[in-house]
Amino acid sequence: MSSQPQAHILFSREEIETMVKRLAAEIKKDYQGKHPLLLGILKGSFMFMADLIRFLDFPLEIEFIRLSSYGRGRSTSGKIKVVQGLRSSIKDRDVLVIEDIVDTGLTISFLLDYLQKKKPASLKLCALTDKHSRRQIPVTIDYLGFTVPNKFIVGYGLDWDEKFRNLPDICVLEGEG
Ligand code: IMP
C-alpha cells in the first residue's frame, strides 16, 4: 500500500481552458490600448500566466515577483518578504497581479500594499483560485478563475512541497500529512 498522497481532479484541463478564455476576454475588454504590466507571483502562477497571455492579443509586458512566507505546514504566518523584486518601475503603469490561490489573503494583501506604495496608475488582481472559506483579510479579486473548497489544491502550477506543479489539471490532494 502506498503512503503517497493522491491527486484527484477538481477542474479538468478542458474546464481550465474554457475559464482562461473567459478571463482573457474580460481582461482584454478592460485593458486593450493600455499596455498593462502583468505581474506574476512565483512560482505558482507561471502556468496560468503563460496560458492567459496567449489569449491577450494586444501589447502588454510581463514581470515576476517572488515572495517568501514563514508559515508552519500549510498555512501562511503572515510574515512575508519579497525575495525577488521588480526589475522596473511600476509608477504610472496599469498593473495586473496574477496569483495562483488566495487562501487567508495575507500574502496578497501584503503584496498589494507593497505595490500600491509604488504608485501604479491602477492595480488589479487576477487569481486562478479562491479558497474563500479560509479568508482572514478581505481581498477584492477582480478576475477570478475558480472558487475551491477548503482542501489542499495542487496542479497547474500549484505545489505540495514543490511537487505536482506539472499536473495539467487542478486537483485536490488527499492523504497528505
Ligand atoms: P495566503 O497568504 O494564506 O492567502 O496564502 C497564499 C499562498 O499560500 C499561495 O500563493 C500558495 O503559495 C499557498 N497556498 C495556499 N493554499 C494552497 C493550496 O491549497 N495549495 C497550494 N498552495 C497553497
Side-chain angles (χ1 to χ4, degrees), residues 76 99-101 103-107 131 151-153 158-159:
T76 312
E99 172 64 308
D100 55 357
I101 185 162
D103 184 17
T104 62
L106 293 168
T107 305
K131 213 189 276 181
K151 301 255 170 85
F152 204 77
I153 308 300
L158 285 144
D159 77 309

Side-chain angles (χ1 to χ4, degrees), residues 60-75:
L60 55 82
E61 287 172 38
I62 66 162
E63 184 65 88
F64 290 97
I65 194 165
R66 189 158 177 195
L67 307 173
S68 73
S69 97
Y70 303 99
R72 269 176 290 138
R74 293 138 141 246
S75 58

Side-chain angles (χ1 to χ4, degrees), residues 8-9 20 22 27 40 46 57 65 78 120 122 126 128 154 175-176:
H8 301 285
I9 295 178
V20 168
R22 168 178 62 81
I27 291 168
F46 80 100
D57 54 352
I65 194 165
S122 69
C126 172
L128 172 65
V154 294
E176 94 282 21

Side-chain angles (χ1 to χ4, degrees), residues 164-177:
F164 301 104
R165 289 196 199 276
N166 53 325
L167 296 179
D169 310 296
I170 295 175
C171 300
V172 168
L173 199 62
E174 313 273 9
E176 94 282 21

Side-chain angles (χ1 to χ4, degrees), residues 7-150:
H8 301 285
I9 295 178
L10 183 62
F11 295 106
S12 67
R13 61 203 80 180
E14 291 81 14
E15 290 172 297
I16 293 170
E17 187 176 336
T18 304
M19 174 277 290
V20 168
K21 285 181 184 163
R22 168 178 62 81
L23 290 187
E26 289 175 30
I27 291 168
K28 189 171 161 176
K29 186 160 64 68
D30 296 346
Y31 284 93
Q32 201 154 28
K34 289 192 170 173
H35 202 126
L37 178 70
L38 271 62
L39 180 60
I41 308 180
L42 291 172
K43 301 178 193 172
S45 70
F46 80 100
M47 207 181 277
F48 177 40
M49 175 114 143
D51 281 349
L52 188 62
I53 62 171
R54 270 177 261 212
F55 293 106
L56 299 177
D57 54 352
F58 58 89
L60 55 82
E61 287 172 38
I62 66 162
E63 184 65 88
F64 290 97
I65 194 165
R66 189 158 177 195
L67 307 173
S68 73
S69 97
Y70 303 99
R72 269 176 290 138
R74 293 138 141 246
S75 58
T76 312
S77 66
K79 288 191 189 114
I80 297 143
K81 229 173 66 174
V82 176
V83 292
Q84 181 191 311
L86 296 164
R87 280 151 202 261
S88 50
S89 168
I90 60 163
K91 188 167 186 297
D92 301 327
R93 298 294 308 269
D94 290 299
V95 177
L96 178 59
V97 176
I98 313 290
E99 172 64 308
D100 55 357
I101 185 162
V102 182
D103 184 17
T104 62
L106 293 168
T107 305
I108 199 66
S109 299
F110 165 86
L111 181 67
L112 292 174
D113 282 354
Y114 170 88
L115 296 173
Q116 198 66 65
K117 290 192 184 112
K118 300 186 182 296
K119 304 203 174 355
S122 69
L123 183 60
K124 284 190 181 186
L125 173 63
C126 172
L128 172 65
T129 60
D130 180 10
K131 213 189 276 181
H132 196 77
S133 57
R134 296 243 315 152
R135 196 72 92 254
Q136 289 177 22
I137 302 185
V139 174
T140 302
I141 302 176
D142 301 283
Y143 308 94
L144 173 65
F146 301 118
T147 299
V148 294
N150 186 8

